[in-house]
Every structure is written in C-alpha cells, then in structure tokens.
Amino acid sequence: MTTAAAYLARLDAALQDVPHGIASEIRNGIAEELTGLDADATARRIAQLGDPAEIAREAMDAGTPRPIAPIAMATPSPRPPLTRSRGYAIAAAIALGVGGFIVPFAGWFIGVVMVLTCGLWRTYEKLIAVLLPFVTLALMAGVVTLVSWLSAPTGGGEETNPLLPSGFAAWHSSILVSYVMFPVCGLWLLWRLRARAAR
C-alpha cells in the first residue's frame, strides 16, 4: 500500500462518525491533492495535512450546528394563595357574621380564624371585626351594672324605677346586642373588601 493509499485509509476510518456529505467532500478533496504527486511530494503534503483524526475532529466541530437557545416559554404567573383570594375573604366574612348562629361558638370560631388568616384585609380591620362584639358586650355590661346600681332602692324599700328595665332583661338585651354585632362586622368586612377592589 502506497503512502497516499495508507493515509486515505486512515482518513476513511477517522471520518466514520462525520456526516456522510461532509466526509465525502473532505475525502475527495484530499484524494485529488495527493493524486499525481511523487513519493516525496506526497509525504510533504501528508505532513501538511496532519493527523486524520484531527481532520475528522475539525470536521465534526465545523459540521455540528450551534445549539439554539430554547425559546423562552411564557410561564404562567403563580396563582395567589387561597387566603388571598376573594372567595376565601367572602367566605370568612360570612362565617364570622352568621357562623355562630348556624353552629354555636364553633361556627364563629371558624370565622375568626378565617378572617385572621385572610390576606385581603388590614390588621386593624381584622381586629375591629373580631373584637367589636366583645367590646360591645363589655360596654353593655358596664351600662347594665351602672343602671342596676342607680336603680337600687336607697331606703331599704323594694321600690324600683318603672322606667328602667329589670336586671335580667337588661343583661338579656346586652347579649342580644352583642350577637347582632357579629352580622354587622361581617357586612362591614364585605364592604371594606368591595371598597378595596374598587380602588
């Protein structure tokens, strides 16, 4: 086997992994260059061409398409947490307002927890809605106590002021007023939610 034939055989082996079209062009071009050269000229040209493995590596690098940057997909915006949704806020206001009437105490407690964990109201709004019924009850209790003390007979008799309610009736009224405050606070939260959404 001549020097040119041996070099081309090595080149064919090195170009096996190169795409066929590119490998054929390289092989045919080098074969043409070596055709008709004497032994000395062939050896010089082969030395100039270099190692067939290096030629194949360069061909692979040249023939490999540049990686295309992936198209930026429009990622959907993350959904807000449940506690910041309007549906949760509306349910919290309703549970606070009427939950205690449907399920005594437990329903109101659930409403309080939902209101306090909701992210659509400010802290002071939550505190007003949760504490106002109790503040009202405390004020009414103070008023009832004061009225009972003022209406107590001073001379040891049993006479009482007929214009003032009895102690039981006054306490009953104060409790009813505090219960009425729960629906009022629920409606107030809904109004605040609507006013905020309108801004």
Side-chain angles (χ1 to χ4, degrees):
M1 183 181 291
T2 62
T3 305
Y7 185 80
L8 291 175
R10 290 172 54 204
L11 183 63
D12 288 338
L15 293 174
Q16 285 182 354
D17 295 331
V18 178
H20 178 70
I22 298 174
S24 297
E25 290 181 9
I26 294 173
R27 208 272 185 194
N28 294 336
I30 292 177
E32 288 180 8
E33 289 189 30
L34 298 179
T35 301
L37 298 178
D38 58 25
D40 292 338
T42 299
R44 287 194 299 271
R45 185 59 185 142
I46 288 174
Q48 292 172 352
L49 291 171
D51 185 13
E54 186 63 29
I55 294 174
R57 189 177 302 111
E58 292 178 1
M60 286 290 292
D61 294 341
T64 302
R66 295 178 61 188
I68 300 174
I71 299 174
M73 300 295 291
T75 56
S77 56
R79 295 180 62 183
L82 177 64
T83 55
R84 293 194 63 85
S85 64
R86 286 183 58 83
Y88 184 87
I90 293 172
I94 293 174
L96 179 71
V98 299
F101 299 106
I102 298 173
V103 182
F105 185 73
W108 176 82
F109 180 76
I110 293 171
V112 168
V113 172
M114 292 180 70
V115 167
L116 293 179
T117 56
C118 183
L120 296 184
W121 291 299
R122 296 184 174 90
T123 302
Y124 81 90
E125 293 172 330
K126 299 176 185 179
L127 293 177
I128 289 175
V130 170
L131 298 179
L132 186 59
F134 295 101
V135 173
T136 303
L137 179 60
L139 291 176
M140 291 293 294
V143 170
V144 168
T145 302
L146 180 62
V147 168
S148 299
W149 180 73
L150 292 177
S151 62
T154 57
E158 296 295 329
E159 295 181 1
T160 58
N161 190 340
L163 299 177
L164 297 175
S166 66
F168 176 77
W171 273 102
H172 187 68
S173 300
S174 65
I175 292 174
L176 286 177
V177 169
S178 65
Y179 265 95
V180 169
M181 292 306 298
F182 285 109
V184 171
C185 290
L187 291 173
W188 180 73
L189 286 176
L190 290 175
W191 177 76
R192 293 297 298 172
L193 184 66
R194 180 178 176 274
R196 182 158 298 117
R199 292 193 183 112

